């Protein structure tokens, strides 16, 4: 367990140092949400209706911004090969990397989402559900993103390629996350979409860890 | 005959649908055949060259 | 299935099989697609509700079937490639992807053309059209990933894994899109379960589907042979440059 902790701590340190990804991801999230009213107009009712969609889609795009660098540094400095040679399964180390990535890119978005909900005039009753849906959903974004990041290692062009690979796979999480918030606004039961989201997280975690590990082994073969 | 071409007023729906289908399928066949022929020609040329060098 | 597949996994045997099967599959494809189209366009009756627009169904529905079947085939072949290291299986999956993408594009375009008189707009975020659109993106992702590496076999391995991840995701995507669609139910969708199909409509549909399937086999054989030639050329060149002083 100590190696797991060490790996998580190392990645968090890398992401939060000056010029690291964590702050940039967060700023991107805030600015990108704030740009939407300029696109669709300042009508508070319209913004309230589409707030959950805006925040979720932006969270999705924000999670994409740092994915390209999730494993690239490890491939270049050779730590990926050390990971593959270690006695611990690669899946275990993927889990550590994903946890660190979520703590530095997903969690800040979750924490800041009520502020963005306020800017977009979302009904206060739905704020908590938005936070919960993002808290369950952003780890899935990291895990699925990890598959994409591992698959493109060594590719000639990787930035837009990750998006093309990962975005269609993340449609279901987003649908149920936004669905939960809209259920509050409509007054229908909130629990079903949230439970489906949680089920996706529980079932998806082992699959994503396995697929990322297989892709990483391919990258160093 | 003109009734058939007119498709009950839906000529603009029915004919393009069949046209696009045929065009895309034919394009796929042409592209596949052309590149297949080129690749096989390249392979034959290379095999001939390598064979020629192997047994002078 | 497995023994015959293992025999086909040998490229020489595959070439023999392809040479024998190609003329037949082309013949069936041309005959069945031709007669299915004539039947669908001229001989089958117009629908009492949708009029002549229903004739789009005879290309749209079989194309959508092929689009899905082709992805399933691609994922199956990718699994054979990754698990049993049959390179021919991976190459066959790679050859199938553009064909599947082509059928998906046909399904999308004809669906959109059909949508204009049915819904009044070219595009409606209807559950089925949306699922097919996501399927199209999955094909694009596979093809982009396979082509993104200097080392062709590295690209093929990555793309094969993506095909497996995609096939696990497809039912989830389908489920979520259906759920999302009932949430935002548009006023009325005419063909919620497809138009009720009469026997006079079933025949042209099935014959076109048979033709598309034969076309799929024929074009796959052509493309696999094409890929085999390319891979063999590159292997020879690699061996030659390595062997040279």
């Amino acid at each position: 367990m100590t190696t797991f902790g060490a790996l998580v701590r190392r990645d968090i340190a890398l992401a939060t140092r000056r010029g690291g990804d964590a702050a940039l991801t967060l700023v991107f999230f805030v600015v990108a949400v704030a740009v939407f009213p300029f696109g669709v107009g300042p009508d508070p009712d319209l913004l309230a209706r589409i707030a959950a969609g805006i925040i979720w889609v932006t969270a999705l795009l924000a999670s994409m911004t740092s994915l390209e660098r999730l494993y690239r540094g490890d491939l270049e400095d050779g730590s990926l090969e050390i990971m593959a040679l270690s006695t611990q399964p690669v899946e275990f180390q993927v889990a550590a990397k994903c946890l660190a990535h979520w703590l530095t890119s997903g969690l800040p978005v979750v924490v800041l989402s009520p502020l963005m909900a306020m800017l977009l005039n979302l009904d206060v009753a739905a704020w908590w559900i938005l936070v919960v849906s993002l808290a369950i959903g952003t780890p899935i974004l990291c895990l699925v993103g990890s598959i994409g990041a591992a698959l493109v290692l060594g590719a000639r062009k990787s930035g837009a390629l990750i998006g093309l690979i990962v975005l269609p796979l993340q449609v279901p999480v987003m649908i149920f996350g936004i669905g939960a918030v809209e259920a509050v606004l409509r007054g229908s039961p909130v629990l079903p979409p949230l439970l489906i989201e949680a089920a996706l997280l529980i079932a998806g975690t082992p699959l994503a860890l396995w697929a990322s590990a297989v892709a990483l082994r391919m990258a160093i073969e | 005959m003109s009734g058939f071409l007119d498709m009950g007023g839906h000529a603009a729906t029915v004919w393009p649908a069949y046209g696009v289908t045929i065009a895309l399928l034919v394009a796929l066949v042409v592209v596949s055949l052309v590149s297949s022929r080129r690749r096989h020609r390249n392979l034959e040329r290379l095999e001939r060259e390598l064979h020629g060098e192997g047994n002078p | 299935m497995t023994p015959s597949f293992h025999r086909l996994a040998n490229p020489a045997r595959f070439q023999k099989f392809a040479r024998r099967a190609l003329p037949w599959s082309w013949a069936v494809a041309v005959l069945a697609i031709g007669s299915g189209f004539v039947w669908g366009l001229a001989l089958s009756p117009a629908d009492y509700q949708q009029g002549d627009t229903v004739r789009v169904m005879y290309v749209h529905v079989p194309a959508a079937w092929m689009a899905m079947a082709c992805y399933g085939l691609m994922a199956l072949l990718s699994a054979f490639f990754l698990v049993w290291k049959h390179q021919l299986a991976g190459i066959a999956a790679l050859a199938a992807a553009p064909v599947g993408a082509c059928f998906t594009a046909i399904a999308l375009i004809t669906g959109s053309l059909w949508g204009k008189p049915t819904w009044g707009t070219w595009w409606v975020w209807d559950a089925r059209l949306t699922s097919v659109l996501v399927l199209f993106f999955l094909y694009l992702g596979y093809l982009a990933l396979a082509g993104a590496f200097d080392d062709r076999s590295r690209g093929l391995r990555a793309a094969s894994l993506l095909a497996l991840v995609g096939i696990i995701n497809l039912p989830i995507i389908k489920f979520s899109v259906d759920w999302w669609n009932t949430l935002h139910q548009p006023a009325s969708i005419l063909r919620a379960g497809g138009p009720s199909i009469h026997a006079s409509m079933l025949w042209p549909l099935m014959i076109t589907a048979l033709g598309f399937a034969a076309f799929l086999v024929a074009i796959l054989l052509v493309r696999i042979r094409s890929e085999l030639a390319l891979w063999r050329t590159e292997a020879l060149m690699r061996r030659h440059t390595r062997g040279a002083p």
Side-chain angles (χ1 to χ4, degrees):
Chain A
M1 221 51 211
T2 45
T3 35
F4 188 84
L7 237 132
V8 174
R9 270 196 302 277
R10 187 198 71 153
D11 271 30
I12 290 178
L14 282 175
T16 50
R17 69 179 174 194
R18 267 170 62 92
D21 284 325
L24 277 176
T25 306
L26 195 58
V27 172
F28 173 86
F29 173 68
V30 172
V31 173
V33 167
V35 158
F36 271 91
F38 297 105
V40 299
D43 174 20
D45 293 335
L46 173 67
L47 287 177
R49 202 155 44 88
I50 60 176
I54 292 176
I55 293 172
W56 253 97
V57 171
T58 315
L60 187 66
L61 297 178
S63 83
M64 210 73 45
T65 54
S66 56
L67 272 182
E68 200 190 342
R69 286 179 297 282
L70 183 56
Y71 297 112
R72 208 177 53 192
D74 292 331
L75 179 72
E76 281 164 2
D77 68 10
S79 22
L80 213 55
E81 274 157 65
I82 295 171
M83 274 189 206
L85 289 175
S86 102
T87 49
Q88 266 142 1
V90 181
E91 282 84 349
F92 179 81
Q93 318 196 34
V94 170
K97 303 241 3 151
C98 287
L99 179 60
H101 186 245
W102 179 74
L103 286 173
T104 53
S105 75
L107 187 58
V109 164
V110 176
V111 171
L112 225 64
S113 58
L115 187 65
M116 298 293 109
M118 185 199 73
L119 282 182
L120 296 177
N121 196 34
L122 181 68
D123 190 348
V124 181
W127 286 16
W128 275 110
I129 298 302
L130 176 70
V131 171
V132 172
S133 80
L134 281 169
I136 304 173
T138 44
I140 308 183
L141 300 185
C142 286
L143 286 160
V144 176
S146 147
I147 304 177
L151 279 174
V152 302
L153 277 179
R156 267 179 270 119
K157 40 189 190 244
S158 50
L161 187 57
I162 296 187
L164 177 57
I165 291 172
V166 163
L167 284 176
L169 300 177
Q170 291 181 332
V171 165
V173 198
M174 200 175 69
I175 284 178
F176 291 112
I178 298 171
V181 180
E182 291 192 336
V184 187
L185 300 180
R186 233 193 351 263
S188 47
V190 180
L191 219 48
L194 280 184
L195 286 179
I196 296 172
E197 224 194 327
L200 287 182
L201 177 62
I202 293 166
T205 303
L207 274 173
L209 294 181
W210 168 78
S212 304
V214 173
L216 286 179
R217 283 193 214 102
M218 283 176 184
I220 54 174
E221 254 172 36
Chain B
M1 189 63 203
S2 72
F4 172 64
L5 286 180
D6 185 50
M7 280 292 161
H10 290 300
T13 299
V14 177
W15 290 113
Y18 281 77
V20 165
T21 305
I22 292 171
L24 279 177
L25 292 184
V26 168
L28 184 66
V29 171
V30 170
V31 167
S32 304
L33 284 179
V34 166
S35 86
S36 171
R37 195 146 305 158
R38 197 187 51 236
R39 288 168 176 181
H40 277 101
R41 252 204 320 270
N42 285 345
L43 176 61
E44 276 162 29
R45 203 179 45 226
L46 186 70
E47 275 176 339
R48 229 178 300 121
E49 276 171 23
L50 291 181
H51 195 69
E53 273 178 35
N55 319 326
Chain C
M1 150 115 213
T2 327
S4 65
F5 183 85
H6 276 287
R7 235 180 302 139
L8 276 184
N10 174 335
R13 283 217 182 82
F14 169 80
Q15 297 282 12
K16 219 168 121 191
F17 168 78
R19 261 196 301 278
R20 227 174 313 148
L22 256 175
W24 287 102
S25 38
W26 278 130
V28 173
V30 170
L31 277 177
I33 292 177
S35 46
F37 277 17
V38 170
W39 201 328
L41 278 170
L43 304 178
S44 74
D47 187 65
Y48 75 100
Q49 249 182 333
Q50 303 194 44
D52 281 299
T53 57
V54 77
R55 301 186 194 283
V56 178
M57 176 180 75
Y58 306 124
V59 283
H60 173 75
V61 171
W65 286 346
M66 289 305 128
M68 289 183 281
C70 211
Y71 199 90
L73 179 70
M74 213 174 84
L76 191 70
L77 289 166
S78 299
F80 269 110
F81 171 58
L82 287 179
V83 178
W84 286 285
K85 315 268 184 238
H86 281 314
Q87 191 166 39
L88 184 64
I91 287 177
L94 189 61
V99 186
C102 186
F103 275 117
T104 316
I106 291 174
L108 284 173
I109 294 170
T110 55
S112 162
L113 282 165
W114 200 4
K116 184 64 179 167
T118 312
W119 295 314
T121 53
W122 298 112
W123 185 266
V124 166
W125 289 89
D126 152 75
R128 281 203 262 166
L129 270 181
T130 310
S131 300
V132 175
L133 183 66
V134 178
L135 181 65
F136 189 57
F137 293 155
L138 290 181
Y139 275 120
L140 292 186
Y142 174 93
L143 284 168
L145 187 60
F149 294 85
D150 291 324
D151 176 4
R152 222 176 267 281
S153 65
R154 161 90 179 96
L156 183 58
R157 266 177 295 149
S160 302
L161 184 60
L162 181 64
L164 287 188
V165 172
I167 199 87
I168 296 169
N169 255 275
L170 261 181
I172 303 173
I173 291 171
K174 183 86 185 76
F175 167 65
S176 67
V177 168
D178 284 346
W179 185 85
W180 165 81
N181 200 247
T182 51
L183 207 65
H184 306 264
Q185 191 70 53
S188 77
I189 293 180
L190 196 56
R191 47 184 191 109
S196 55
I197 287 188
H198 191 261
S200 61
M201 294 177 165
L202 204 59
W203 274 109
L205 190 68
M206 287 305 169
I207 289 176
T208 310
L210 172 72
F212 279 3
F215 176 89
L216 177 66
V217 171
I219 194 85
L220 260 182
L221 292 176
V222 169
R223 296 189 64 93
I224 293 171
R225 291 183 63 186
S226 166
E227 289 289 329
L228 281 175
L230 177 70
W231 285 63
R232 174 141 176 77
T233 310
E234 293 195 340
L236 280 177
M237 279 163 75
R238 258 199 314 276
R239 202 179 309 157
H240 186 64
T241 45
R242 208 181 298 143

